[in-house]
Amino acid sequence: MVVQRRGRPHGRGSGTFAVTAVLVGSLVGTAAVTGCGAPEDPKPTSDPTLTVRNAADVLTRAGTAKASTSMEMAAGGTRVTIRGEGGYDFRRRTGRLQVLLPKDPAGSSAHRPITELLAPGALYMKNRGAGVPADKWVRVDTTTLDDGNLVTGGATDPAAAAELLRGARKVTYLGEVELAGVKVSHYRGVTDIAVAARAASPQLRGALAAAAKGFADDAVPFDAYLDGEGRLRKVRHQFSFSNQGRTVAVASTTLLYGFGVPVEVTLPDRRDLYAGKIEA
């Protein structure tokens, strides 16, 4: 299922994934995409690699979109599922997601949704968990995370998911499929985090550069779906790393729809940030 990347993120200690240890979750492979217009039929170019690499630029021109995210972590026969809903502004590189944590083993969910604000170089979280006051935000510098917040936050930043495709290689066009009533072109390949980091926009370069240094293997398999205007509608990245002796597979999916919707993001004031100890 997952092409593994060996070696855990390294270089800045073992605290990276402790920041949001519960935030790892499930891919929604058949999630509904609503509110989309009906663009032209996909017309793939003769160079699928170039088409996929240009997806981030097309999203920037599109401006804003609604976003649905999902993440699945599998380790030692255990799967954990997290889903997120919100919107993203690809010009400002800011977004807002409501992240839903999985139910506990007893089947009940005592977790409140975590609000995540995404900004260049930073992740803000509210309702982060035990030890954090209800009215406070936790700020994480994504350029210091061993994975650049590709998986730590439980939802890959939509812009980072697209920018990661700038390192695409070995891309194959698999044909046309329908995604929630919209015809899209399906591409499959492998992206190189280090190459993507060098080609990324300035706002995302720091986080992807951190991920390139943190993972032992930069190769990440992906499936990408683009509509007739070249806009990325769905992308699934498959990560794998070793954490405390266990191989952990993570499938992260981002769905984009409702292009052009207003997306308002107001970052917390410094006095609203929590600087105390965070319980895992």
Side-chain angles (χ1 to χ4, degrees):
M1 170 181 160
V2 175
V3 178
Q4 294 187 348
R5 297 197 301 145
R6 301 292 181 182
R8 75 177 298 277
H10 56 78
R12 280 173 292 277
S14 59
T16 296
F17 295 94
V19 175
T20 51
V22 296
L23 299 183
V24 286
S26 172
L27 163 68
V28 183
T30 57
V33 179
T34 59
C36 303
E40 300 176 2
D41 290 347
K43 295 180 179 63
T45 68
S46 58
D47 188 346
T49 298
L50 183 60
T51 298
V52 170
R53 287 181 177 178
N54 287 339
D57 291 331
V58 177
L59 286 178
T60 299
R61 292 194 293 270
T64 62
K66 293 182 179 180
S68 176
T69 67
S70 59
M71 194 172 282
E72 179 180 281
M73 172 177 276
T78 301
R79 289 183 181 273
V80 182
T81 301
I82 293 175
R83 296 181 176 90
E85 295 286 341
Y88 200 88
D89 188 323
F90 290 94
R91 290 175 183 161
R92 298 177 183 234
R93 299 292 195 262
T94 58
R96 184 184 184 96
L97 295 173
Q98 287 289 111
V99 177
L100 302 178
L101 301 181
K103 294 181 179 181
D104 61 27
S108 62
S109 179
H111 303 292
R112 291 181 298 171
I114 294 178
T115 300
E116 293 191 357
L117 302 182
L118 307 166
L123 167 66
Y124 298 85
M125 295 177 288
K126 196 170 188 179
N127 297 333
R128 165 58 184 84
V132 181
D135 62 339
K136 294 295 184 180
W137 293 83
V138 173
R139 183 187 185 279
V140 180
D141 184 345
T142 56
T143 65
T144 66
L145 295 176
D146 287 341
D147 72 323
N149 195 36
L150 293 177
V151 300
T152 294
T156 302
D157 182 317
E163 294 278 350
L164 199 53
L165 296 176
R166 293 189 187 276
R169 55 186 173 83
K170 299 180 181 179
V171 180
T172 302
Y173 171 63
L174 298 180
E176 184 180 281
V177 297
E178 190 171 289
L179 181 64
V182 177
K183 291 182 179 180
V184 294
S185 293
H186 181 192
Y187 299 89
R188 177 172 294 163
V190 177
T191 191
D192 186 298
I193 303 177
V195 173
R198 291 192 293 269
S201 63
Q203 299 95 325
L204 274 297
R205 193 172 298 153
L208 290 182
K213 293 177 181 178
F215 283 102
D217 188 344
D218 288 339
V220 180
F222 70 84
D223 282 86
Y225 301 79
L226 279 63
D227 65 20
E229 297 179 36
R231 299 177 301 194
L232 186 66
R233 291 292 185 129
K234 175 181 176 180
V235 61
R236 166 176 169 158
H237 293 105
Q238 299 182 78
F239 306 95
S240 183
F241 55 90
S242 178
N243 187 32
Q244 297 181 348
R246 295 188 305 170
T247 297
V248 182
V250 179
S252 174
T253 296
T254 300
L255 293 159
L256 300 171
Y257 56 102
F259 292 95
V261 299
V263 176
E264 299 293 334
V265 178
T266 302
L267 300 181
D269 188 270
R270 183 180 295 273
R271 61 188 173 185
D272 295 323
L273 301 180
Y274 177 71
K277 182 178 179 180
I278 302 173
E279 298 180 22

